[in-house]
Amino acid sequence: MKIKDALNLRNGAYILEKLLKKDKAWLFLNDQKPVPKEFFEIQKKVENGYPIEYLFEEVYFYGDKFYITEGVLIPRDDTEVVVERAIQLIKRFQVTSSKFQVVDCCTGSGVIAIEIAKHTNANVIATDISETALEVAKKNAKLHNVEIEFKKCNLFDFSGDILVANPPYVENSWEKPSEYEPDLAFYGGEDGLDIVKEIIKKAKNLEYKAAIIEIGYNQKDRLTKFLKGKVEKFEFFRDLGGTIRGVEILFR
């Protein structure tokens, strides 16, 4: 197979760029050259569902490159709106507070915590129950030269100002988009809201000011019933595709 043929395959250009350590322009200018034999093995794995992010141990999020490996949820572009919303909220609150603490619960690879640390002046604490996730997150924080305090715990058990989370919120009956990603990062009970509700109750009891939480597209009505009468104000927001992606909560 020649390079020009591989370029027509899904992920073909990306795989060749990584294998040959050449950019896309070089590939097009040299499209008559044969592809390396390693290409076929990698392409087969990807076609069989193995995440290409795990193969090359990298993923792009919010315009930045991050380290990723098996055992940790692969960040999705849809979550970028959660980061954007959190940054806006933090900047509004920081106007009246010089010492400000943001907690990123269920941090996974650390991408949300890192982008918050890069784009605000808040002190950021990131938590996860997974040792593998915390190792990856710490490596990413070092890669991006940001200071974040990492804690291994079940959700969180300490106070802060704003709580941000992309928790497991998928219904237990749903099939994961990739069998290779950890169940721990996906499933949140029969209706997917067990962990989301626990996070909200904890944040309220620990007197957080506000929270930004990612949720499923079909969970707005059920979460509305849960939130009414329990918090001062809440608002759902959508991603760039117009799908419900999260909720912003003001506790007081």
Side-chain angles (χ1 to χ4, degrees), residues 99-103 122-125 149 158-163 208:
K99 292 183 179 180
F100 203 79
Q101 183 163 288
V102 176
V103 176
N123 296 321
V124 182
I125 299 175
E149 182 181 353
F158 49 90
S159 61
D161 292 297
I162 289 181
L163 190 286
Y208 279 73

Side-chain angles (χ1 to χ4, degrees), residues 169-174 187-194 219 222:
Y169 58 78
V170 177
E171 292 91 330
N172 288 348
S173 60
W174 283 34
Y187 295 118
E190 186 176 342
D191 67 353
L193 287 172
D194 288 359
Q219 296 172 335
R222 279 170 284 165

Side-chain angles (χ1 to χ4, degrees), residues 186-221:
F186 274 96
Y187 295 118
E190 186 176 342
D191 67 353
L193 287 172
D194 288 359
I195 298 173
V196 172
K197 290 177 180 178
E198 187 175 353
I199 287 173
I200 292 169
K201 287 187 286 187
K202 276 180 170 286
K204 181 181 179 180
N205 291 338
L206 290 167
E207 299 186 337
Y208 279 73
K209 294 180 176 69
I212 299 284
I213 304 173
E214 182 166 339
I215 64 170
Y217 75 94
N218 61 341
Q219 296 172 335
K220 177 182 176 181
D221 292 343

Side-chain angles (χ1 to χ4, degrees), residues 108-215:
S109 58
V111 296
I112 292 178
I114 290 165
E115 293 299 345
I116 288 173
K118 289 179 70 172
H119 296 282
T120 73
N121 294 321
N123 296 321
V124 182
I125 299 175
T127 74
D128 207 291
I129 197 170
S130 166
E131 189 65 46
T132 301
L134 288 172
E135 288 175 2
V136 169
K138 289 175 184 177
K139 187 170 182 176
N140 279 323
K142 186 175 182 180
L143 178 67
H144 288 274
N145 194 32
V146 294
E147 290 188 13
I148 295 173
E149 182 181 353
F150 292 98
K151 292 187 177 184
K152 182 181 179 181
C153 58
N154 182 19
L155 303 182
F156 57 99
D157 55 6
F158 49 90
S159 61
D161 292 297
I162 289 181
L163 190 286
V164 183
N166 178 14
Y169 58 78
V170 177
E171 292 91 330
N172 288 348
S173 60
W174 283 34
E175 184 178 346
K176 290 187 302 180
S178 169
E179 63 177 292
Y180 298 96
E181 291 183 271
D183 288 357
L184 187 66
F186 274 96
Y187 295 118
E190 186 176 342
D191 67 353
L193 287 172
D194 288 359
I195 298 173
V196 172
K197 290 177 180 178
E198 187 175 353
I199 287 173
I200 292 169
K201 287 187 286 187
K202 276 180 170 286
K204 181 181 179 180
N205 291 338
L206 290 167
E207 299 186 337
Y208 279 73
K209 294 180 176 69
I212 299 284
I213 304 173
E214 182 166 339
I215 64 170

Side-chain angles (χ1 to χ4, degrees), residues 17-29:
E17 285 181 62
K18 303 304 295 182
L19 286 178
L20 299 173
K21 294 180 172 54
K22 301 290 186 180
D23 60 22
K24 195 171 293 185
W26 185 94
L27 295 177
F28 280 105
L29 290 172

